[in-house]
Amino acid sequence: MEILSSTPLATIQDLGRFDHYHDGVGRSGAMDGLALAIGNALLGNDTNAAAIEIPLLPFKLRFDEDLDIAITGADCEALFDDVPLPPDWALSVKAGQTLTLSAIREGCRAYICVVGGFDVPEVLGSRSTQLRETFGGHEGRMLKKGDRLKALGTSVGLPPGGLGATPFRQETGPVTARVLPAAEYDRFTAESQRSFWTTDWQVTPQSNRNGYRLSGPNLTMKDASELRSHGVVPGTIQVPMGGQPIIQLADAATMGGYPKFGTVIEPDHWRLAQAKPGTAIRFVEVDYPAALAAQAELDAYIADIRAAAGRQRRAASGWQS
Amino acid sequence: MNMHSVPAITDLPRFSLLGMTAIIFEAPGAFDLDHQRRIWAMADIAATWPNVREAVPGMTNLSVLFHRPLADPQDFGGKLVELWNRGVSKDVDGRNIDIPIIYGGEGGPHLQEVSEMTGLCVDDVVAIHSAPTYPVYAVGSHAGYCYLGGLDQRLFLPRRSVPLLSIPGGSLSIAGHQTGVSASAGPSGWHTIGSAKAAFFDPQRDPPSLLAPGDTIRFHPEKVLM
C-alpha cells in the first residue's frame, strides 16, 4: 500500500521492545495497546503484530493488493472509498481502493492493522519505531507521503461487510486512571496526596508519546531532595520540583531521577493514550490485587473478541478450517 | 542536607512497586563503587530467577522487570532484601575506553556558566573533569547512555531550572553528582560542557551498547573552545 497523505507522528508500532532495558532501550510500542489488541484479535493475528499508530489526522492510503485490515482506536471519520466505517471494524479491501481517516469524534489515536502485521524488519526483538534512537518501524522514522508498506499476510476470510468489536466500556466524564502508589508517595504532604486523588488533572499540549504533562495544583514533598537515578517504566507518574506531574508513557526514558508519586496500571494505559490535550484525568488509588483484577478483566474482554471473531471468520469460510 | 551533594538515603534496604510488572530495590548507605558492585552482583543473580525479564542496575538501586505480574510482590521484595544482605559483590574486569572531547564551543554551550557557578576557571573545570577514570555504574535513560561515578565534588551542580528541548548526540553534560555523554539527540536538564564523536549505541551491533556496567571511561580534552 502507498501512503497518499500523512501528518507527523504516524509510526509503526507493535507491543513494544522488551528485554533491552539494560541497553537503555525504552519500551516504545503502541500507546493504546487495547486498540492494537482488538485489531489483531479481529484479524486473528499474533498479539504482537505491528500496526500503524496515527495520532493526528487526516491520513490516507491506497491499497495495491487485496487485503484484510482493521481500523481501531480513536472514533474517527473513516471512509473506505466513499463508504463510512464504524469504529473497531475489520474489512476486506481490494487493490486500488483507498482508506481515508479524517475528523476525530472521540479519542486521539487511530490504528490501522493488517493481516500478519506490517512487514518491517524486527530490530532488537520488535517492529516498533524507536523515535529517539531512529531505528525500528519503517526506516526508524515517522511515516510520510509516498511511503510504501506491505503486510505479512493477505486474507483471513472475513464475512461480507466485515466484522466488528463491541467497545470495552462506554464511559462519560473525566478519564479515570487507576494508580499504584510508588516509592516516594509517602514523602508527599497529606494535602498533596489528597489533592492528587481529587483533582481533575488537565492534559496539557506538552504531551506526546514520551509522556503527558498535567496541569493542576502543585504537589509538594515534605523533604524535597534529588534522587539517585533509577528505573522508570511507562505509566510512572513523576513530580519534578515545579510540582506539576508528568505521566511517563511509551517512549519514556528507561531511567530518571524525579520523585515518583505512583504508576498508572497497565490496563488503563489505553485510556491515557486516547486522552487528548485538554482532557480531564482523575486518578483512583488501587492496591495490587485490584490491579491484577483490572488486567484480568481486560484480558478476558480481548479473549472474547478473539474467540467471537474467530467464529465469524470460520462461519464466513463455511467452517472449512 | 546540601541539595548539591550526593543524596543520602535510609539505613535500610527498601523496595517499592513500579506498576504491576516492575519492582525497584534501593540499597542503603553511601553512593560509592562498593555499593554499586553489590548491585551488579544482585542484577546477575536476580536475572536468573523465574518470571524475571531483566534486572537492570540503577545508581545503587536495581530495577527488576517481570514477564507477568507477581503473585506476591512483598515476598519478591523480601527476596531482594535477603539477596542484598548476603553481601555478594561483583568485581568487573571491564574495558577501558578513551573518549576524545571538545570542551566548550558550540558543542559545550554551558562550559562558561559552569565555570561561573563553580567559581573555577574554565581550564580548571576541564582539568578537573578530565582527570578521573570514570566507572560506568549503569546504562539507561536512552539507548547507550552511561551513568558514571567519580565526578569531582567541585563540579557538583543542581540541574538546570529550565531543561533544553534537545541537545545533540555526543553532548557531554554534568548535573548533581553525575556526568555523562548523550548517545542520541534528546531533551536535557543538565549542563552541557563538551561534545564527543563516539558511537555509544548501534542497534545492529551485538551488544548494541558500546559500554556496560563495570567498564571505565577517560575523557581526553582534544580542544577547549571559549
Side-chain angles (χ1 to χ4, degrees):
Chain A
M1 68 204 73
E2 181 180 351
I3 294 174
L4 301 181
S5 83
S6 180
T7 47
L9 298 174
T11 53
I12 302 270
Q13 301 291 345
D14 58 17
L15 289 176
R17 192 162 273 113
F18 298 92
D19 304 322
H20 286 279
Y21 246 61
H22 63 278
D23 288 311
V25 178
R27 191 203 73 188
S28 70
M31 288 278 281
D32 183 344
L34 177 60
L36 180 69
I38 291 171
N40 284 333
L42 290 174
L43 295 172
N45 279 346
D46 186 284
T47 52
N48 196 31
I52 304 178
E53 175 180 286
I54 307 160
L56 285 171
L57 299 176
F59 187 90
K60 185 170 184 180
L61 53 77
R62 183 175 54 226
F63 300 94
D64 46 20
E65 59 179 342
D66 297 358
L67 182 67
D68 291 346
I69 67 164
I71 315 298
T72 62
D75 179 5
C76 61
E77 199 173 282
L79 287 179
F80 171 54
D81 282 342
D82 301 325
V83 184
L85 293 173
D88 291 332
W89 202 259
L91 74 160
S92 301
V93 302
K94 297 244 174 291
Q97 291 184 306
T98 59
L99 176 73
T100 310
L101 304 181
S102 48
I104 288 187
R105 287 184 285 258
E106 182 100 49
C108 79
R109 285 180 172 81
Y111 292 80
I112 300 175
C113 303
V114 294
V115 174
F118 281 94
D119 184 8
V120 296
E122 206 175 277
V123 185
L124 298 181
S126 167
R127 294 186 165 87
S128 288
T129 313
Q130 206 82 29
L131 280 176
R132 169 163 184 160
E133 287 86 3
T134 65
F135 71 90
H138 181 68
E139 299 177 359
R141 60 166 171 80
M142 301 167 194
L143 298 174
K144 61 182 190 208
K145 185 181 168 183
D147 283 345
R148 286 179 169 276
L149 297 168
K150 274 184 70 71
L152 283 162
T154 49
S155 168
V156 285
L158 295 176
L163 62 88
T166 49
F168 178 60
R169 200 184 282 154
Q170 297 286 5
E171 290 159 345
T172 52
V175 170
T176 50
R178 287 164 287 189
V179 170
L180 285 167
E184 284 72 54
Y185 177 76
D186 292 333
R187 289 169 56 182
F188 285 86
T189 63
E191 197 196 329
S192 288
Q193 290 177 353
R194 209 166 30 246
S195 59
F196 180 80
W197 302 118
T198 53
T199 296
D200 284 345
W201 294 93
Q202 298 289 312
V203 178
T204 70
Q206 287 83 47
S207 297
N208 54 35
R209 284 182 49 86
N210 290 302
Y212 287 5
R213 286 172 188 267
L214 304 181
S215 150
N218 278 339
L219 302 176
T220 52
M221 295 180 83
K222 292 179 269 192
D223 56 340
S225 66
E226 290 189 8
L227 303 174
R228 298 178 187 177
S229 295
H230 54 264
V232 170
V233 296
T236 305
I237 302 166
Q238 297 177 320
V239 183
M241 288 303 197
Q244 298 285 290
I246 300 171
I247 313 177
Q248 296 295 334
L249 290 167
D251 285 349
T254 66
M255 279 171 66
Y258 291 131
K260 301 169 296 306
F261 196 95
T263 308
V264 176
I265 62 173
E266 283 89 334
D268 284 349
H269 287 191
W270 69 273
R271 298 172 202 275
L272 301 176
Q274 296 298 351
K276 55 180 177 284
T279 305
I281 295 182
R282 188 68 81 97
F283 294 112
V284 177
E285 185 176 1
V286 286
D287 59 13
Y288 203 74
L292 293 181
Q295 183 67 60
E297 186 191 10
L298 198 63
D299 290 347
Y301 164 76
I302 295 164
D304 282 351
I305 291 176
R306 189 169 275 277
R311 281 195 300 276
Q312 291 188 60
R313 289 195 309 268
R314 285 197 301 283
S317 2
W319 299 100
Q320 285 157 1
S321 52
Chain B
M1 195 190 79
N2 178 350
M3 291 278 296
H4 308 163
S5 66
V6 177
I9 51 178
T10 56
D11 298 334
L12 292 171
R14 65 191 291 258
F15 64 89
S16 54
L17 282 176
L18 190 62
M20 298 172 66
T21 51
I23 277 186
I24 294 187
F25 170 86
E26 293 171 82
F31 176 76
D32 60 26
L33 201 50
D34 285 343
H35 285 91
Q36 191 65 15
R37 286 193 178 108
R38 286 172 68 180
I39 291 290
W40 294 338
M42 279 182 78
D44 285 357
I45 295 167
T48 66
W49 291 354
N51 191 29
V52 171
R53 194 187 262 288
E54 287 187 82
V56 186
M59 299 296 255
T60 68
N61 52 57
L62 181 70
S63 298
V64 185
L65 311 174
F66 306 105
H67 290 281
R68 296 170 304 283
L70 295 165
D72 186 348
Q74 291 301 316
D75 178 67
F76 190 94
K79 289 201 173 83
L80 288 173
V81 171
E82 226 169 80
L83 182 57
W84 170 262
N85 288 336
R86 270 163 55 190
V88 187
S89 179
K90 182 186 182 187
D91 200 1
V92 184
D93 185 19
R95 297 183 306 151
N96 308 296
I97 307 265
D98 284 347
I99 308 281
I101 297 286
I102 297 175
Y103 283 90
E106 223 172 285
H110 305 139
L111 180 61
Q112 193 63 45
E113 257 177 83
V114 166
S115 153
E116 283 156 22
M117 286 187 287
T118 55
L120 300 160
C121 70
V122 165
D123 285 342
D124 283 351
V125 170
V126 171
I128 291 168
H129 187 269
S130 58
T133 298
Y134 293 100
V136 176
Y137 272 47
V139 175
S141 185
H142 59 270
Y145 182 75
C146 299
Y147 287 87
L148 306 174
L151 182 67
D152 191 297
Q153 287 202 27
R154 287 170 287 178
L155 297 179
F156 288 4
L157 289 172
R159 290 175 172 88
R160 298 182 73 76
S161 49
V162 182
L164 300 183
L165 285 176
S166 186
I167 60 170
S171 295
L172 168 68
S173 309
I174 60 172
H177 56 283
Q178 298 176 17
T179 186
V181 183
S182 302
S184 54
S188 167
W190 292 22
H191 311 277
T192 299
I193 59 170
S195 63
K197 286 205 173 67
F200 287 89
F201 181 84
D202 176 354
Q204 308 299 340
R205 203 164 52 192
D206 185 24
S209 292
L210 177 66
L211 295 164
D215 291 341
T216 55
I217 288 186
R218 284 207 59 165
F219 295 118
H220 280 272
E222 235 180 10
K223 271 184 228 164
V224 181
L225 305 173
M226 296 297 182

